[in-house]
Amino acid sequence: MVWDELKVHRDDRVSLRIESLFADDPERAQGFAVRAEGLLLDYSKTAIDERARDLLLALAESAGVAERAQAMFAGEKINQTEGRAVLHTALRNPGPDPVLVDGEDVLPGVHQTLARMEDFAEGLRSGRIRPPQGGRFTDVINIGIGGSDLGPAMATLALAPYHDGPRLHYVSNVDGAHIHDTLEALDPASTLVIVASKTFTTIETMTNAATARDWLMRRVGAENAGRHFAALSSATDKTAEWGIDPSRVFGFEDWVGGRYSLWGPIGLGLMIAVGPKHFREMLAGGHAMDRHFRETQGAANMPVMLALVGLWHHQVCGYPTRAVLPYEQRLARLPAYLQQLEMESNGKRVAMDGTTLDAASGPVVWGEPGTNGQHAFYQLIHQGTQVVPCEFMIGATGHEPDLAHQHRLLVANCLAQSEALMHGRSLDLARAMMAEAGFSGDELERQARHRVFPGNRPSTTLVYPKLTPFVLGQIIALYEHRVFVEGVVLGINSFDQWGVELGKDLARALEPIIAGTQGTEGKDGSTAGLVAFIRAAGG
Ligand code: F6P
């Protein structure tokens, strides 16, 4: 079995130093990198050699990644536990070739909705769509959570240099502090509220939306409040019940998963911020990555290689987490976005056929932008006892030509980190440093040991020309397909999320207990004790 061969190969070479691979192969940097439409993914600073790569590619082939990808793009119901097609790729597909679900082309509907979104976004941006009492909508609040928040919030920040529309605010947490602090700073007369929820039942979103509605009713009057709302949802019956005018409801089909939904109506806030043209450029970047993914074979396929590197580190080498480290302040929310994309998709313990997985599923994903992380958790990455594969990202240029010297520093820091992780610092070098600093004897030895970096820690670096809407689309689609490939190889369904349900059910049942209208009978001692403490403390 290929997994076993991979593990044997890894065990055979466990003491190999990554840097020695460069000595053996002067062309390694070129050979262990993928280029795709202006992007470069360098994975040469990992322990993957030719044999490992061949085995990993064989793994992808034997799992049927290419066939499964064609099935996804063709609208087959590959989300088997929910009986749904998986077609977020259709949201960024300009056509003209049809994409069929149950024999029907979905693209005309996608393009119609996009045109309606554009009309609405342009209306707000130009002032054609006005608040009922006059003036302009200067502020837009997107109320949503998970996939109905993370994607547009991440992308709105990422594309800040293109933001020339109304101000955007994202409210997600059921913690009243979130909506309170947001509303407090806004003028209701010039604020539009978008309720973003695929199901229109999510408790956090519906609670925050009700709070916003009360705020508007109190401040602009019940007769005007309705014209301050729009909705993004598949559940048009529920948006109607909630009283949102159908002309301001932007729907999408069940073949768009929440965490894959930025490309359609859930991206409306982003579109209002940056304008339809830039939104379409993002779609074009995503579509370009789709074409690359579908049409490129083997090691030249960027999402496939990013996935195989991930599988190598987590499933073969056993590293429990991976860090996503964008050297781009405007990608500050990308790690949070990828946490949902990767961990909600591939954090499963059962295979598609219901059997228990015999390999580990997805790793823990975490991260922060560089250089901030360097001054926080990089200590552990460099000298801690566990290995954290790092995924660096950096743009060749920034958006601030007059601050090019700062961008050079940013690039230097990014490249220095992957260099340091790979080479480390030997005990001999640390001793020489300490001798030069005037230490000797036992104290020199003790001090030197604290200054050793083991090195041999793997990383990848993704380089893009500049963080434009097109490039952002490429990066997001790259990661979507990476998650897909990992899921196929592991044999799991990356498109359901049953693991979020139990906690929601229990929270619903606990609410009246916390309110004191029901007792704690039947609750375990810890939960009952926590409720008692919170109530006694005034809760
Ligand atoms: O609880 C998890 C989840 O269902 C996510 O998958 C989804 O992105 C989020 O909640 C929000 O769901 P909705 O858009 O239906 O409000």
Side-chain angles (χ1 to χ4, degrees):
M1 211 182 131
V2 188
W3 279 118
D4 297 331
E5 287 181 65
L6 270 164
K7 288 198 170 127
V8 168
H9 181 66
R10 164 72 184 162
D11 290 347
D12 284 351
R13 318 197 73 199
V14 77
S15 55
L16 167 123
R17 301 246 348 146
I18 298 169
E19 56 201 328
S20 75
L21 294 170
F22 286 88
D24 297 347
D25 172 9
E27 304 296 312
R28 178 170 172 83
Q30 287 72 45
F32 289 79
V34 195
R35 284 168 187 74
E37 315 225 13
L39 306 186
L40 169 72
L41 172 68
D42 177 346
Y43 61 96
S44 61
K45 290 194 187 89
T46 68
I48 294 175
D49 58 9
E50 285 207 25
R51 167 100 178 122
R53 181 167 61 192
D54 288 347
L55 287 169
L56 288 163
L57 286 165
L59 199 61
E61 200 180 327
S62 63
V65 166
E67 296 74 24
R68 202 84 187 145
Q70 295 313 336
M72 173 173 72
F73 282 104
E76 285 180 34
K77 298 197 171 158
I78 62 165
N79 174 355
Q80 291 172 6
T81 55
E82 297 181 307
R84 293 175 182 170
V86 173
L87 274 179
H88 48 280
T89 53
L91 299 177
R92 54 200 187 220
N93 185 337
D97 295 342
V99 175
L100 303 179
V101 175
D102 294 329
E104 207 178 303
D105 184 8
V106 300
L107 289 189
V110 165
H111 296 154
Q112 253 168 34
T113 303
L114 189 60
R116 283 186 58 228
M117 286 167 62
E118 291 184 341
D119 183 59
F120 188 69
E122 274 307 3
L124 283 174
R125 288 164 56 81
S126 67
R128 173 171 47 84
I129 299 177
R130 290 177 182 280
Q133 292 158 303
R136 285 175 85 118
F137 282 114
T138 55
D139 293 85
V140 175
I141 311 175
N142 182 92
I143 297 181
I145 196 165
S148 299
D149 166 72
L150 287 164
M154 175 275 291
T156 303
L157 178 60
L159 298 183
Y162 304 87
H163 192 152
D164 56 3
R167 286 182 290 270
L168 251 292
H169 312 267
Y170 288 89
V171 172
S172 49
N173 202 326
V174 77
D175 181 350
H178 202 176
I179 186 104
H180 171 271
D181 293 355
T182 306
L183 296 183
E184 197 174 47
L186 297 178
D187 176 0
S190 57
T191 300
L192 181 93
V193 176
I194 299 177
V195 186
S197 175
K198 181 178 168 184
T199 55
F200 230 66
T201 56
T202 303
I203 191 90
E204 291 92 335
T205 301
M206 300 325 295
T207 308
N208 278 323
T211 301
R213 183 165 59 182
D214 288 349
W215 177 72
L216 281 164
M217 300 241 259
R218 263 185 284 113
R219 308 281 288 276
V220 300
E223 68 287 7
N224 293 321
R227 285 174 61 196
H228 286 256
F229 276 96
L232 318 174
S233 183
S234 313
T236 42
D237 50 334
K238 296 201 173 66
T239 59
E241 250 170 58
W242 218 80
I244 299 184
D245 191 307
S247 69
R248 287 176 169 209
V249 176
F250 301 88
F252 50 105
E253 305 295 328
D254 70 0
W255 37 258
V256 181
R259 54 194 172 275
Y260 298 88
S261 60
L262 165 67
W263 313 95
I266 292 295
L268 182 64
L270 171 68
M271 187 192 270
I272 292 167
V274 302
K277 173 178 166 285
H278 293 127
F279 191 85
R280 274 190 188 259
E281 284 169 17
M282 184 185 78
L283 298 187
H287 184 64
M289 186 53 73
D290 292 342
R291 282 205 326 268
H292 165 82
F293 178 51
R294 290 182 80 167
E295 293 165 9
T296 313
Q297 300 301 312
N301 189 310
M302 192 176 277
V304 167
M305 280 318 302
L306 187 60
L308 296 180
V309 172
L311 290 163
W312 166 258
H313 285 146
H314 186 55
Q315 278 76 13
V316 181
C317 301
Y319 304 141
T321 80
R322 68 172 159 244
V324 181
L325 306 168
Y327 276 64
E328 177 91 43
Q329 184 56 30
R330 295 189 182 109
L331 287 180
R333 293 298 285 156
L334 185 72
Y337 173 78
L338 292 180
Q339 281 177 332
Q340 186 193 18
L341 185 65
E342 301 209 9
M343 292 161 76
E344 200 173 75
S345 297
N346 287 347
K348 312 279 164 73
R349 51 179 288 286
V350 167
M352 188 73 95
D353 62 5
T355 55
T356 304
L357 286 184
D358 48 16
S361 65
V364 172
V365 178
W366 59 285
E368 272 288 313
T371 59
N372 295 17
Q374 291 176 202
H375 300 272
F377 52 79
Y378 277 39
Q379 166 64 40
L380 181 148
I381 288 179
H382 285 289
Q383 288 189 316
T385 51
Q386 55 178 300
V387 174
V388 180
C390 293
E391 301 190 350
F392 295 101
M393 293 182 194
I394 180 79
T397 61
H399 278 282
E400 294 73 29
D402 47 334
L403 298 177
H405 62 291
Q406 293 203 210
H407 193 76
R408 279 195 296 279
L409 266 176
L410 185 72
V411 175
N413 271 278
C414 179
L415 303 190
Q417 291 301 325
S418 67
E419 227 187 330
L421 283 168
M422 178 168 76
H423 296 295
R425 182 194 285 146
S426 67
L427 184 56
D428 282 349
L429 212 58
R431 282 185 184 128
M433 275 172 57
M434 289 299 96
E436 205 170 309
F439 288 90
S440 61
D442 287 352
E443 188 54 10
L444 179 146
E445 190 61 20
R446 196 168 72 86
Q447 292 287 352
R449 296 182 80 84
H450 286 277
R451 286 160 174 80
V452 170
F453 287 64
N456 209 26
R457 301 202 160 185
S459 69
T460 58
T461 303
L462 178 71
V463 188
Y464 46 88
K466 183 169 161 176
L467 191 59
T468 60
F470 185 88
V471 165
L472 181 69
Q474 287 179 298
I475 295 174
I476 301 170
L478 166 66
Y479 271 86
E480 284 178 351
H481 294 318
R482 180 258 191 111
V483 168
F484 172 81
V485 172
E486 289 193 338
V488 173
V489 171
L490 296 170
I492 59 186
N493 182 2
S494 300
F495 300 101
D496 61 11
Q497 57 282 321
W498 301 108
V500 301
E501 297 302 332
L502 179 58
K504 287 186 195 173
D505 290 347
L506 293 177
R508 261 190 296 274
L510 268 166
E511 206 269 339
I513 299 176
I514 292 161
T517 54
Q518 264 179 42
T520 52
E521 305 75 41
K523 289 287 162 197
D524 62 80
S526 165
T527 308
L530 290 166
V531 169
F533 187 90
I534 289 165
R535 284 186 55 75

